[in-house]
Amino acid sequence: MITTENVTVKFGSEPLFENVNIKFSAGNCYGLIGANGAGKSTFLKVLSGELEPTSGEVHIKKGMRISVLKQNHFEFDDFTVMDTVIMGNKHLYDVMKEKDALYAKPDFNDEDGLRVAELETEFAELDGWQAEADAGSLLADLGIPSELHYNLMKDLSGSEKVRVLLAQALFGTPDILLMDEPTNHLDLKTITWLEDFLIDFPNLVIVVSHDRKFLDRVCTHIADIDFRNITLYTGNYAFWTQASALIMKQKEERNKKIEEKAEEFRKFIARFSANASKAKQATSRKNMLEKLTLEDIKPSTRKYPSINFKYSKIPGKDVLHIQGLNKSLNGELLIKNFSLDVVQGEKIAFIAQNPIIITTLFQMLNGELEPDSGEINWGVTATRSYFPKENNHLFEDKIDLIKWLGQFSQEQHISYLRGYLGRMLFSGEDAEKSVNVLSGGEKVRCMLAKMMIAESNVLIFDEPTNHLDLEAITSLNNALIDYTGTVLFTSQDYQFIQTVADRIVEISPYGYINFQMKYEDYLNSPDIQKRRDLMYNKFAQNAGKK
């Protein structure tokens, strides 16, 4: 359905990838993976026609409708939510608007009547009469209530716009669906819905994502951008991790055997080349040695940061006591009568349908916000480091990474600071770049270096995997599994929560649920929904009494 012929993309003299020849077939879902900067988003733009390759061609079967998940959240601000979704099928939208415009003409004539007849036929063939119902159903499934469907996009929140643009991409079953990070800013319930949608999707999907569970559930193939090329693997992300490692190991083992054989030949030649009776054999081995070639193992663009959290102050048993916490923002109740005790070594995932709830809680725990009422008491031995969801305010100064990190370190020796930056993949001149030009992923790695230097016994993370590539997520994931201090965090990454958390706390304006269990057990527990219903009913009853 899509084939590339010797596609090369260069920025300056350096190629992102070169001479890519690949075929994407209908009915499959391809996960496009690679390190930050490898060219994933660029390749999607080449496939969609948004970006011309430096050389080579992209061939798409004639008549195929391509749908692309839009990244500009302000592009449709002057359109209604419903129109924005239907624009996912541009041809249908154009027919619908032309038809409506003709009907609205005060001087409607015979020529207009003929054109309207043509448009009505085409509108029916495009299933236009079902368009608003289908769009409304998609919006409802993605958590956009019906009362917002005819509002202007500019009146929606950022997370609501994300969902509308996702509905736009999915609308009308396109032949080719291209999506760059579709799970960003979605809650876990919506991510699960999207996974199920794509599993049943009949046509071609190519998706970039850093969500490992998402890639495992939806992908039939993995397209790996590495070594300036793109290699296809059959299977999901978990299969790719095993297959790619096995292929690399086999290459290394073949090279090792070739090296051993070459050394054996060299020793024989050195020993017997002057021996008349062995000269013929020595010449034969010399010819064989010349034919031995090592397999070219190119350096991978995929690099794993070295993340290791430790603490300098031994923590006591009692880490945190929260009692009767209440908080509203802008007149909206977020947290009601919340109480929690945390002991040393616990790793707690905080869950909320509205992510602002957890961000607000963490800001109060870090002393950035005051509760409306209630108490927050940290243990006398607790030392904490906080990873905020929004960190741009920490990177506004025009200083280099070494000076930036030095602000948070008692040890000021440059080699010490460079050591931490090097572990976060900022080596050599990279450590001297200005912090105000860093990408989102680079800022996150700087924040992790800051937290490592602090050596705190309590770590608080608000969506730490945002902006990270799969390699960095894996490193952070493993570091928190190994960490023996206390971790309070929230994330939309299923595998991250499942492998790190041993306790789940769900918070809503109606109350909270506190369970000592793994995340998968929490998701599958029939008791959880019963607790939610009881919480909501009690809240509604109390509100009714008032």
Side-chain angles (χ1 to χ4, degrees):
M1 189 168 280
I2 299 181
T3 57
T4 66
E5 183 180 351
N6 296 322
V7 166
T8 296
V9 172
K10 291 183 180 180
F11 294 113
S13 60
E14 285 296 311
L16 275 177
F17 38 82
E18 50 190 343
N19 297 321
V20 172
N21 293 286
I22 196 167
K23 180 180 180 180
F24 298 103
S25 301
N28 292 322
C29 178
Y30 297 84
L32 188 60
I33 65 171
N36 275 353
K40 302 183 293 293
S41 297
T42 299
F43 189 65
L44 282 188
K45 289 177 181 177
V46 169
L47 295 180
S48 69
E50 182 181 344
L51 179 68
E52 284 290 325
T54 307
S55 61
E57 294 181 344
V58 175
H59 302 287
I60 299 176
K61 189 176 178 182
K62 189 175 181 181
M64 296 290 100
R65 182 167 74 85
I66 299 179
S67 184
V68 180
L69 176 60
K70 300 289 187 180
Q71 300 296 318
N72 182 356
H73 299 168
F74 305 100
E75 185 176 347
F76 303 93
D77 272 1
D78 294 329
F79 295 91
T80 67
V81 169
M82 183 61 67
D83 277 359
T84 300
V85 175
I86 296 174
M87 282 181 195
N89 186 339
K90 186 178 183 303
H91 183 46
L92 171 61
Y93 181 78
D94 290 344
V95 168
M96 183 176 74
K97 288 304 174 184
E98 184 182 353
K99 181 168 67 78
D100 291 346
L102 286 172
Y103 278 130
K105 283 182 67 175
D107 55 345
F108 189 90
N109 56 37
D110 291 344
E111 185 179 344
D112 294 331
L114 291 173
R115 178 58 182 157
V116 163
E118 293 173 359
L119 291 170
E120 287 287 11
T121 300
E122 195 168 4
F123 186 71
E125 290 172 350
L126 292 169
D127 208 16
W129 296 111
Q130 188 63 27
E132 290 199 8
D134 291 344
S137 178
L138 269 177
L139 288 166
D141 288 337
L142 287 166
I144 304 297
S146 57
E147 57 266 26
L148 297 181
H149 291 186
Y150 294 92
N151 285 16
L152 291 178
M153 285 286 285
K154 64 184 177 184
D155 297 328
L156 269 57
S157 69
S159 62
E160 288 168 339
K161 287 182 180 180
V162 167
R163 293 163 187 265
V164 175
L165 293 178
L166 182 55
Q168 180 192 71
L170 303 178
F171 176 73
T173 318
D175 300 298
I176 300 168
L177 179 57
L178 306 178
M179 297 193 293
D180 193 350
E181 299 291 4
T183 62
N184 277 1
H185 309 293
L186 298 182
D187 59 50
L188 289 156
K189 179 181 178 182
T190 310
I191 291 172
T192 301
W193 177 88
L194 179 59
E195 289 171 351
D196 293 337
F197 183 95
L198 293 178
I199 288 168
D200 294 333
F201 190 75
N203 298 329
L204 170 61
V205 181
I206 304 175
V207 60
V208 172
S209 178
H210 62 250
D211 187 323
R212 296 162 291 179
K213 174 179 173 284
F214 179 80
L215 292 173
D216 275 344
R217 281 207 70 202
V218 306
C219 290
T220 60
H221 298 73
I222 295 294
D224 179 25
I225 303 183
D226 204 359
F227 312 112
R228 294 179 177 174
N229 205 340
I230 303 179
T231 305
L232 271 185
Y233 295 81
T234 301
N236 61 13
Y237 180 74
F239 178 81
W240 169 84
T241 57
Q242 298 172 1
S244 59
L246 179 61
I247 289 170
M248 184 60 69
K249 183 180 179 182
Q250 288 172 339
K251 285 182 178 181
E252 291 171 349
E253 288 177 349
R254 281 197 294 268
N255 278 357
K256 184 179 178 182
K257 289 179 180 178
I258 291 170
E259 285 279 18
E260 290 172 351
K261 180 63 70 175
E263 183 60 24
E264 180 186 323
F265 287 165
R266 281 191 287 268
K267 287 180 179 179
F268 187 92
I269 294 165
R271 184 177 179 187
F272 295 112
S273 59
N275 187 321
S277 64
K278 298 281 189 178
K280 189 174 181 180
Q281 294 178 40
T283 301
S284 174
R285 280 168 173 73
K286 186 176 181 181
N287 291 333
M288 293 167 67
L289 178 61
E290 291 172 352
K291 292 178 181 178
L292 287 179
T293 56
L294 294 176
E295 189 165 357
D296 184 22
I297 302 179
K298 300 176 183 177
S300 175
T301 56
R302 189 170 275 110
K303 296 179 181 178
Y304 292 81
S306 177
I307 304 173
N308 179 28
F309 297 108
K310 57 185 178 180
Y311 45 82
S312 55
K313 187 174 184 178
I314 303 300
K317 180 183 177 182
D318 298 321
V319 172
L320 175 65
H321 174 70
I322 302 173
Q323 184 65 44
L325 201 67
N326 292 281
K327 185 64 180 178
S328 297
L329 282 180
N330 301 320
E332 180 184 2
L333 176 64
L334 297 178
I335 298 171
K336 178 179 173 60
N337 198 28
F338 177 60
S339 298
L340 185 72
D341 287 308
V342 180
V343 298
Q344 152 59 17
E346 284 195 295
K347 297 175 181 177
I348 305 175
F350 290 83
I351 308 295
Q353 188 169 1
N354 181 357
I356 295 174
I357 292 174
I358 309 302
T359 295
T360 302
L361 173 65
F362 286 175
Q363 287 173 335
M364 289 190 290
L365 295 182
N366 199 48
E368 296 178 8
L369 282 179
E370 288 294 325
D372 296 338
S373 61
E375 295 182 357
I376 297 174
N377 295 307
W378 286 99
V380 293
T381 59
T383 59
R384 61 185 185 270
S385 289
Y386 173 49
F387 180 101
K389 183 186 295 185
E390 298 296 335
N391 55 36
N392 288 334
H393 63 285
L394 296 172
F395 296 91
E396 293 174 346
D397 294 335
K398 294 182 180 179
I399 57 175
D400 64 36
L401 271 65
I402 298 171
K403 289 180 181 177
W404 182 87
L405 189 58
Q407 300 173 111
F408 312 104
S409 173
Q410 292 183 347
E411 173 61 66
Q412 291 294 303
H413 200 282
I414 289 179
S415 62
Y416 177 82
L417 299 173
R418 276 188 174 275
Y420 277 92
L421 291 170
R423 290 168 62 179
M424 292 296 101
L425 309 180
F426 298 108
S427 57
E429 293 182 358
D430 285 342
E432 298 171 12
K433 67 165 66 173
S434 180
V435 297
N436 67 329
V437 299
L438 297 178
S439 68
E442 288 173 327
K443 289 176 182 176
V444 170
R445 284 187 272 127
C446 283
M447 291 295 296
L448 295 175
K450 171 181 175 291
M451 295 181 78
M452 286 195 295
I453 272 186
E455 296 188 349
S456 303
N457 53 41
V458 180
L459 303 179
I460 305 173
F461 288 99
D462 191 352
E463 300 282 5
T465 62
N466 286 356
H467 305 294
L468 290 180
D469 59 20
L470 287 159
E471 290 69 45
I473 290 173
T474 300
S475 296
L476 176 59
N477 199 158
N478 292 336
L480 292 183
I481 291 171
D482 295 338
Y483 179 64
T484 57
T486 302
V487 183
L488 312 177
F489 74 101
T490 187
S491 175
Q492 301 301 331
D493 187 311
Y494 172 93
Q495 189 171 338
F496 196 83
I497 302 175
Q498 173 65 15
T499 55
V500 174
D502 49 33
R503 187 174 175 189
I504 308 296
V505 175
E506 178 184 323
I507 307 177
S508 77
Y510 319 122
Y512 63 96
I513 299 171
N514 181 1
F515 275 95
Q516 196 92 25
M517 61 173 59
K518 298 299 287 185
Y519 186 54
E520 185 174 359
D521 297 329
Y522 158 82
L523 290 176
N524 295 325
S525 171
D527 294 334
I528 301 294
Q529 189 57 49
K530 291 179 183 177
R531 289 284 298 272
R532 287 195 195 102
D533 293 341
L534 285 171
M535 234 172 21
Y536 177 77
N537 291 336
K538 186 176 180 180
F539 175 84
Q541 287 171 4
N542 290 337
K545 290 176 183 177
K546 293 179 182 179

